[in-house]
Amino acid sequence: MCRILEATNTLCLPLPPGYHTLLSVLGVRCLPRHTFLQYVDHGVLQLTETFVSRLMTDLDNSDANEELKFSILKRLPEPMEQRICHLWDHPISSACISRDYVRASTNQLYNHQFNTTKSRKPEFLPLTFLTKILLDVEDRALNPFEEQENVDARFVEETALKQTLILLGFQDK
């Protein structure tokens, strides 16, 4: 299959749909984990959203499988990582979801207070530009509670409360 991939790349031919998913499934099932991850790093295997979502739901949370899941999540692009992170029922993914939720809620609260006081923000152009870019990225982000079946709601609530207290300065990290 790698030779087929190499031949189609050199001839600039399109691959059939699902080819990269199938090749990745074969790679994770047949290759040692370090070799599989090296192939991903070198671009021989491409991590498709279908493959990663199936992998997150099919594998259990044993130590070896958690290590593989973390290694794969680390190699995903940011938008795909946010979508896939919601499929994995793990405390770290729940903490990421709650942190994003608190950040968005705090920004909404700040914007609401800013609009009601009608005061002017101090202008520091590089920081203002960076803030606008970050707000645009957050607006394009996925709703963190869109898929609630894999979210530990109590943990997310406790973590969000703790993050809020830290951001408001009522509690130390």
Side-chain angles (χ1 to χ4, degrees), residues 72-86 96:
I72 289 176
L73 278 177
K74 186 173 64 173
R75 289 166 169 79
L76 292 176
E78 184 73 25
M80 188 191 302
E81 180 182 349
Q82 289 176 350
R83 288 191 302 269
I84 297 298
C85 190
H86 299 284
C96 291

Side-chain angles (χ1 to χ4, degrees), residues 30-158:
C30 300
L31 297 172
R33 294 211 171 158
H34 68 279
T35 307
F36 170 75
L37 294 173
Q38 282 181 342
Y39 281 12
V40 169
D41 290 339
H42 293 296
V44 175
L45 298 174
Q46 293 181 7
L47 298 175
T48 62
E49 191 168 348
T50 306
F51 166 71
V52 177
S53 62
R54 278 189 55 204
L55 191 70
M56 291 296 164
T57 55
D58 290 349
L59 292 180
D60 62 348
N61 283 337
S62 66
D63 290 340
N65 288 341
E66 278 187 2
E67 185 179 326
L68 176 65
K69 288 179 181 182
F70 279 125
S71 299
I72 289 176
L73 278 177
K74 186 173 64 173
R75 289 166 169 79
L76 292 176
E78 184 73 25
M80 188 191 302
E81 180 182 349
Q82 289 176 350
R83 288 191 302 269
I84 297 298
C85 190
H86 299 284
L87 298 175
W88 187 19
D89 185 18
H90 193 271
I92 291 182
S93 62
S94 298
C96 291
I97 292 168
S98 62
R99 202 171 29 248
D100 291 342
Y101 178 74
V102 168
R103 187 180 304 121
S105 298
T106 308
N107 284 339
Q108 288 175 352
L109 177 67
Y110 175 75
N111 289 336
H112 177 68
Q113 288 177 349
F114 174 73
N115 290 337
T116 57
T117 59
K118 302 290 185 204
S119 63
R120 185 171 170 88
K121 284 191 220 178
E123 288 291 326
F124 180 64
L125 293 179
L127 185 59
T128 306
F129 181 70
L130 177 65
T131 305
K132 287 180 183 178
I133 289 175
L134 291 175
L135 287 174
D136 289 340
V137 168
E138 281 188 1
D139 289 340
R140 289 182 290 181
L142 183 67
N143 181 3
F145 294 105
E146 188 171 277
E147 229 181 270
Q148 293 188 3
E149 65 186 68
N150 292 324
V151 176
D152 182 6
R154 182 168 173 82
F155 178 78
V156 170
E157 180 181 307
E158 290 173 2

Side-chain angles (χ1 to χ4, degrees), residues 4-15:
I4 292 171
L5 179 65
E6 186 178 321
T8 56
N9 283 340
T10 56
L11 295 174
C12 299
L13 295 173
L15 290 168

